[in-house]
Amino acid sequence: MLGYVATWEGEASAQSGVNADVDTYAGWHAAYRPDGIFFDQVSGQSGDLATYRGFAELARPLFGDGDGFVSAISI
């Protein structure tokens, strides 16, 4: 099971909300916590790669005993 997080194409104004959504899922009780995160509405711009790398680096250690699954799709 993955937690859904919209990234709004990497817009700077949405980045704190993306991190907050990841933290919300990570804070759920272990019985309900997802195994990882699905990032949606991903920018296809190479200049945004660092932003998405940062999202993934935040999410992975919080799920799956430190080896959380991270998936993304571009619109």
Side-chain angles (χ1 to χ4, degrees):
M1 177 174 62
L2 300 176
Y4 174 89
V5 177
T7 67
W8 308 105
E9 296 186 34
E11 292 181 24
S13 62
Q15 290 180 16
S16 64
V18 170
N19 291 336
D21 287 350
V22 170
D23 288 341
T24 295
Y25 285 118
W28 287 4
H29 185 276
Y32 307 106
R33 187 177 313 126
D35 301 310
I37 294 293
F38 171 71
F39 291 113
D40 196 9
Q41 301 176 3
V42 173
S43 164
Q45 303 299 314
S46 61
D48 292 329
L49 181 59
T51 297
Y52 288 98
R53 187 171 284 140
F55 292 157
E57 288 173 358
L58 168 72
R60 271 195 191 96
L62 299 175
F63 301 93
D65 295 324
D67 192 27
F69 182 81
V70 174
S71 179
I73 189 166
S74 179
I75 57 171

